[in-house]
Amino acid sequence: MKLATIGVGNAGSKLIDRMIEFERDTGRNLCRHALVINTARTDLAKPQHVPEDRRVLIGDTHRKARGHGVGGDAEVGAEVAKTDIDEIRRVFDDVEIHEVDAILVAAGLGGGTGSGAAPVVIDELQKMYDEPVYGLGVLPGKYEGGRPALNAARSLQSFVTKVDNFIAFDNDAWRSRGQTIEQGYEEMNEELATRIVTLLAAGEVDDSDVGENAMDSSDIMRTLEIGGVSSIGYASTELATQSEGLLSRFNEGEDLQEDSTDAAKIKGLVRRAVNSRLTVPCEVSSADRALIVFAGPPAAISRKGVEAAREWLENEADTVDVLAGDDPRRNSSTLAAVVLLSNVTETPRIDEIQNQAVDAQNKIRELDAVREEEIESLITDDDNDLDPIV
């Protein structure tokens, strides 16, 4: 697949930057166009792989933003994006849309810019282009508090209804103990970038690396076209060195006989991908469609194992709509399996965010009411001796 990638807000920009780094490190070429949009000038300086002329500051003249961010206020984030929509549209015009298959918009849904501005950006993209627009959203953890949960719950409604598919990532499921917040975010960005690039870059091969059942971008797009919320699983294993094992024997031209051990390893890799941490925890059987991509040397991909893994996932997901294919990477020292579960409907964390958001909204309203009473009490003249000026 060939993508135009857009990061909105600090979290979204870091994700796009990490995706570009990962694809370069692994010899892929997924992100044909990259763009980051932010309301904070300092955050726009952080990406290391996005060209400076592809970084857009919005809200520079807005009375509340002024180039310093929106303070976690999603309403201001949306307002700023609407005000500067002409500037955003101008940058979009530079994208050679005929070069891409789809557009990916990444954002952290807990922050003000990501949750507020990203849906406005998506709206504009849908008006301008016919290509699919996918959303990649990071859900805030419980520890981040009620305001981010409220932002996420409100933004999630806009994301899911506006994009062609929404890929969710849950901070709670990926947070490790003993890490600083910054270390945690760096690790999570790396994990998510690995999954997204491995999945969406499948099918980008030259003539020498066409597998028996090479995955095509149309297969991925078909799996995503059903819409809703999607989750991604991933597992990888180190392969034998060139002096031993499967890889060396294949490179020396020996004919390898598939056996039950090879098939079991492939199936086990897919089981690990699904049963370990998904990008957002979900009930696998609630998925409408699923897809498996095996990325690695063709010699390491057992055909019997691929079929066994596909049948296993059909049973787990309770659907016959499961695709499986190869992404040949001849020089790779690892074999990876990435599993896409599309339109999952049982996602406990999203339900928790909705409940947390309702509680936060009620608390905000209560505090606002108390504050108004306190202000009224402070300025009221009980003896009615004073007249207001106006």
Side-chain angles (χ1 to χ4, degrees), residues 18-37:
R18 190 66 187 86
M19 283 175 59
I20 295 172
E21 181 181 8
F22 180 79
E23 70 169 6
R24 289 177 180 174
D25 289 346
T26 56
R28 292 173 167 91
N29 186 21
L30 172 69
C31 304
R32 299 302 173 94
H33 295 276
L35 172 69
V36 294
I37 301 170

Side-chain angles (χ1 to χ4, degrees), residues 245-246 249 255-268 299-308:
L246 176 67
R249 286 185 290 145
D255 291 328
L256 300 181
Q257 298 296 320
E258 286 187 343
D259 57 26
S260 59
T261 301
D262 296 329
K265 287 180 179 178
I266 293 291
K267 181 179 176 181
I301 303 174
S302 159
R303 302 264 56 84
K304 290 181 180 178
V306 171
E307 184 59 25

Side-chain angles (χ1 to χ4, degrees), residues 82 85 89 92 105 116-129 133 158-159 161-163:
K82 291 176 182 177
I85 197 65
R89 189 184 295 113
F92 286 167
V105 179
V120 177
V121 169
I122 290 167
D123 257 344
E124 195 61 27
L125 289 168
Q126 294 284 24
K127 293 175 186 176
M128 294 176 66
Y129 306 120
V133 178
S158 298
F159 258 89
T161 57
K162 294 177 186 296
V163 297

